[in-house]
């Protein structure tokens, strides 16, 4: 890739991440798609677009993008944790359990005690359902807080 395309790619990615941080998800997506047009092989595209979809609460789309990233670039501790957490958000107990187990097998994750708790939650239907109910209550509280402002 020539230096001009590389520069545009970096600028578009930065503009996208800035918009994402400000909560302007549609703008973030627009800039990221411009980056993809300039640089179709950008390694962080799938992760960044997955993050945008996650922020938009489009969990199934986010899961698909993160899974494609892992299948394209390989398993690592961070990708496995993200897939596990997004599986939980999608209500996919078995997938969450599978990815938490794999994540715990990575030496980088051995020092993350919350993963043991999440594995326990994703291994038990009752705990998983309670976790999902808590998630819904948090969403409701966030909505009430947003409407209050």
């Amino acid at each position: 890739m020539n230096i001009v395309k590389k520069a545009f790619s970096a600028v578009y990615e930065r503009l996208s991440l800035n918009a994402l941080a400000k909560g302007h998800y549609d703008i973030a997506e627009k800039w990221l798609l411009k980056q993809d047009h300039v640089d179709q092989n950008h390694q962080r595209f799938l992760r960044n677009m997955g993050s945008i979809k996650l922020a938009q609460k489009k969990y199934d789309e986010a899961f698909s993008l993160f899974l494609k990233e892992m299948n394209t670039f390989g398993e690592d501790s961070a990708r496995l944790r993200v897939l596990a957490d997004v599986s939980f958000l999608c209500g996919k107990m078995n997938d969450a359990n599978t990815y938490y187990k794999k994540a715990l097998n990575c030496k980088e994750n051995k020092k993350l005690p919350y993963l043991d708790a999440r594995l326990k939650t994703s291994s038990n239907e009752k705990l998983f359902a309670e976790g999902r109910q808590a998630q819904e209550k948090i969403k409701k509280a966030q909505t009430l807080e947003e409407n209050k402002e």
Side-chain angles (χ1 to χ4, degrees), residues 20-135:
L20 177 61
K22 292 178 181 178
H24 303 152
Y25 308 131
D26 292 338
I27 295 169
E29 188 172 356
K30 179 189 87 166
W31 284 117
L32 199 59
L33 289 171
K34 281 185 177 254
Q35 180 200 22
D36 189 49
H37 182 72
V38 171
D39 180 8
Q40 288 88 15
N41 297 317
H42 197 279
Q43 186 172 352
R44 291 186 303 268
F45 174 80
L46 293 168
R47 180 181 331 128
N48 291 340
M49 187 59 80
S51 297
I52 291 168
K53 296 301 180 184
L54 196 56
Q56 292 171 324
K57 297 180 178 33
K58 296 178 180 178
Y59 301 129
D60 289 322
E61 289 180 53
F63 179 84
S64 295
L65 289 161
F66 291 131
L67 183 61
K68 184 176 179 181
E69 178 195 14
M70 187 181 73
N71 290 336
T72 302
F73 300 108
E75 285 186 7
D76 70 12
S77 60
R79 288 183 185 122
L80 290 166
R81 286 193 318 267
V82 167
L83 280 169
D85 289 342
V86 176
S87 295
F88 179 87
L89 292 171
C90 291
K92 299 176 181 177
M93 185 176 117
N94 292 332
D95 285 346
N97 186 266
T98 297
Y99 291 118
Y100 282 130
K101 281 180 185 173
K102 286 184 175 188
L104 276 166
N105 286 329
C106 296
K107 68 177 182 171
E108 301 89 350
N109 292 333
K110 296 289 184 201
K111 296 178 183 174
L112 300 174
Y114 72 89
L115 285 179
D116 288 321
R118 290 184 181 177
L119 178 61
K120 183 178 177 184
T121 299
S122 67
S123 300
N124 180 300
E125 286 185 30
K126 183 176 184 251
L127 290 175
F128 191 80
E130 289 172 357
R132 299 274 298 149
Q133 287 174 348
Q135 175 190 357

